[in-house]
Amino acid sequence: MTGVKKRFGATIALAGVDLAVQAGQVLSLVGENGAGKSTLMKVLSGAHHPDEGTMAIDGQPYAPRDPLDARRAGVAMIYQELSMARHLSVMENILLGVEPTAGPFMRWGQVRTRAAAAMKEVGREDIPLDIPVGQLSVAEQQLVEIARAVANECRVLIFDEPTSSLTQSDIVRLFHLIRRLKTRGQAIVYISHFLEEVKEISDVFTVLRDGQSVGAGNTADVPAEKIIAMMVGRQVADLYPRSPRKQGEVILSTDRIAGLTKPRSASFSLHQGEVVGIAGLVGAGRTELLRAMFGLDAIAGGEVRLATHVGPASPARRWAQGMGIVSEDRKTEGLALSLSVGNNLTLSKLTGMGPAGLVFPGRQNRIAGEWIRQMRVKCSGPTQPIGALSGGNQQKVAIARLLHHDVDVLLLDEPTRGIDVGSKAQIYQLIDELALAGKAILMVSSYLPELMGICDRIAVMCRGMLGPARPVAGLTEHQIMIEATGSENAA
């Protein structure tokens, strides 16, 4: 890719980027949210047309009309935000657009054979080929997305945050797959905010910042701290701030709460001015616990106490009682992607924006604009559709909604998933400031370093059962993983 430029209205997304990947090489593309990584890869995969610049594969000009044209040319992208037909089966999704046919008829035997081989490649033959993709978990859908690219035997594969929804065992399988593809001579571009993954899986790296390439090199030769400095344009010191916190009264507690399927039993207490983390594997029941407490899922047994309120409540009541939630699935549940940034930020609390229940757009936009500035959301303004923002900036808006509502208890489900290092540091600082202000934060995360870095106590959930919340000072990542996998009970 040479001199690639792309503009969206007044926004310059790419300002003349050069990128080269060799056959049998893994290149990590890193940078903050909004740096231009996804836009550059959408140009490569045919989803966007460049305004200027050229591309070539094996020295031959390459200018795809659309993603299907790119896939036929041997270029495929696995998107961070899943892009499958949820009503179609696993095998139909894997071969979608490149189905083997005989005249007007589908060769279903070949479809099944090729889909099964692709799922075997990603190490998940156990996933049924005939069920609709919409019935799978987010992690399983991610693996089907990867299998779709593998099935087409593409020569250039782009992985955009592929591990954000995967379990540790699935990540290990994915890395084995990438190494196999590398030995076959395929070129791989790997986008990730997890620098430990970048260091482990890639040969070379390129850093984008503000639509420009600002650094590159051999991954093994450059320390992670230097890569971070290239990404954010400054040194990021003290990634996990921990100010002296004063623990207040218990504001949220559960007593053997159980859902219809998960959690099976969860008892804990959360104090004002405290950050409690919930660790565990994907599917352990952590998300279900937060949803049950907030009233999104039914409670089958046990008790929830929020301040002076006892028992289950609807989400509307929870908002009124001072509790807010940030969903792990921002695309389908956390945000209304067709609405503006301002509407997404303020819709849970519209008081004070006009008389007699009316909402004056000018007033609403001024309030939203203040949160946009405070959270450093990269957008053109409150009226911009939130679907046009990068994933990290969308997540900032989701968190800003809770701050606008001035809740006392914040339920954060994977709040830094898909967010760059600079934005993570900002959110960690915000969580610390909220705890100092007396807010209570319950945080689910699959990234143990951040739980260890910002939480006061951590509880581990395994197969729907929540263990006791213990001080971070007495825990290790190894110990948490043993409890999360149930290994301490193994014979």
Side-chain angles (χ1 to χ4, degrees):
M1 305 181 76
T2 306
V4 174
K5 295 183 179 180
K6 184 65 180 177
R7 180 191 294 268
F8 297 98
T11 302
I12 299 174
L14 299 172
V17 177
D18 297 338
L19 188 77
V21 192
Q22 298 176 13
Q25 185 181 65
V26 180
L27 177 142
S28 281
L29 186 62
V30 296
E32 293 194 272
N33 287 112
K37 306 184 301 299
S38 293
T39 302
L40 183 66
M41 290 301 99
K42 285 178 179 178
V43 169
L44 177 57
S45 63
H48 289 330
H49 295 149
D51 297 329
E52 295 182 36
T54 60
M55 297 185 286
I57 297 178
D58 281 338
Q60 300 301 312
Y62 166 71
R65 296 185 300 274
D66 51 43
L68 184 57
D69 193 32
R71 190 174 286 261
R72 288 169 176 159
V75 178
M77 181 167 179
I78 297 101
Y79 289 95
Q80 176 186 355
E81 304 290 0
L82 303 178
S83 56
M84 287 178 290
R86 293 171 57 86
H87 64 290
L88 296 182
S89 69
V90 169
M91 64 180 183
E92 288 172 318
N93 270 279
I94 290 175
L95 275 298
L96 192 62
V98 290
E99 301 91 341
T101 58
F105 303 104
M106 191 87 76
R107 292 183 179 271
W108 287 109
Q110 289 187 26
V111 171
R112 181 175 293 276
T113 299
R114 289 176 58 184
M119 292 307 296
K120 185 177 181 180
E121 278 273 40
V122 300
R124 288 302 299 270
E125 306 99 308
D126 58 305
I127 296 178
L129 298 177
D130 297 302
I131 67 171
V133 161
Q135 294 182 15
L136 300 179
S137 69
V138 174
E140 290 169 334
Q141 290 180 38
Q142 183 78 71
L143 292 167
V144 173
E145 185 101 49
I146 294 168
R148 181 162 64 180
V150 171
N152 203 36
E153 299 180 351
C154 292
R155 299 176 56 209
V156 180
L157 282 174
I158 307 157
F159 292 87
D160 189 2
E161 294 284 351
T163 65
S164 61
S165 302
L166 299 185
T167 65
Q168 189 59 43
S169 59
D170 284 330
I171 292 173
V172 171
R173 292 191 191 101
L174 173 62
F175 283 4
H176 283 322
L177 170 63
I178 289 176
R179 292 185 181 103
R180 288 199 304 274
L181 297 173
K182 175 182 167 181
T183 60
R184 296 174 191 171
Q186 287 168 286
I188 295 165
V189 180
Y190 190 90
I191 301 175
S192 178
H193 293 309
F194 297 106
L195 291 187
E196 61 267 33
E197 292 181 2
V198 170
K199 298 289 283 185
E200 179 178 350
I201 199 62
S202 67
D203 304 300
V204 294
F205 72 90
T206 294
V207 180
L208 292 188
R209 188 173 74 239
D210 297 329
Q212 297 178 308
S213 176
V214 295
N218 294 319
T219 309
D221 298 337
V222 182
E225 293 76 15
K226 187 173 180 180
I227 296 176
I228 293 173
M230 293 181 193
M231 289 168 59
V232 301
R234 64 186 188 280
Q235 296 292 332
V236 178
D238 195 15
L239 184 60
Y240 303 113
R242 184 190 291 275
S243 303
R245 299 170 186 166
K246 184 178 179 181
Q247 192 177 98
E249 299 294 323
V250 173
I251 190 170
L252 173 66
S253 63
T254 64
D255 182 19
R256 292 169 293 180
I257 184 177
L260 297 179
T261 55
K262 292 175 185 175
R264 291 162 55 200
S265 179
S267 300
F268 74 93
S269 61
L270 177 66
H271 297 78
Q272 295 172 329
E274 183 182 37
V275 182
V276 171
I278 301 181
L281 303 179
V282 174
R286 301 169 301 165
T287 293
E288 290 84 348
L289 172 60
L290 266 57
R291 289 175 60 89
M293 288 189 295
F294 193 69
L296 290 167
D297 290 345
I299 295 176
E303 181 180 273
V304 180
R305 181 182 293 269
L306 174 60
T308 60
H309 310 284
V310 181
S314 67
R317 289 296 302 159
R318 288 300 190 218
W319 277 115
Q321 293 166 0
M323 176 188 282
I325 189 171
V326 171
S327 169
E328 68 165 344
D329 187 358
R330 62 174 173 262
K331 182 178 180 182
T332 60
E333 188 176 75
L335 298 168
L337 295 182
S338 61
L339 298 183
S340 68
V341 172
N343 277 328
N344 272 276
L345 209 158
T346 60
L347 275 180
S348 67
K349 183 183 178 184
L350 294 170
T351 54
M353 297 184 188
L358 297 175
V359 175
F360 290 170
R363 231 178 257 187
Q364 183 186 29
N365 289 337
R366 279 195 299 274
I367 292 171
E370 181 56 38
W371 287 115
I372 288 169
R373 286 188 291 274
Q374 187 170 326
M375 295 292 289
R376 300 177 194 170
V377 178
K378 290 185 178 179
C379 65
S380 60
T383 59
Q384 183 177 7
I386 198 166
L389 272 57
S390 68
N393 285 300
Q394 289 178 2
Q395 191 75 328
K396 289 181 184 179
V397 173
I399 295 173
R401 182 195 301 134
L402 273 61
L403 305 184
H404 166 68
H405 206 98
D406 195 25
V407 298
D408 297 314
V409 178
L410 293 85
L411 307 180
L412 307 181
D413 195 355
E414 303 284 3
T416 64
R417 176 178 288 169
I419 291 179
D420 59 82
V421 174
S423 296
K424 282 183 179 180
Q426 182 187 353
I427 288 176
Y428 297 150
Q429 181 66 46
L430 176 64
I431 290 173
D432 185 59
E433 292 171 358
L434 291 171
L436 278 177
K439 305 293 186 182
I441 297 103
L442 184 64
M443 177 173 166
V444 166
S445 177
S446 299
Y447 188 46
L448 291 182
E450 72 180 8
L451 287 181
M452 298 287 289
I454 65 175
C455 294
D456 300 296
R457 294 185 294 147
I458 295 176
V460 181
M461 180 165 274
C462 178
R463 299 186 181 94
M465 304 292 291
L466 185 67
R470 289 164 295 171
V472 168
L475 295 172
T476 65
E477 290 187 29
H478 179 70
Q479 180 182 356
I480 292 173
M481 283 306 301
I482 288 176
E483 294 182 21
T485 57
S487 300
E488 81 277 12
N489 296 323

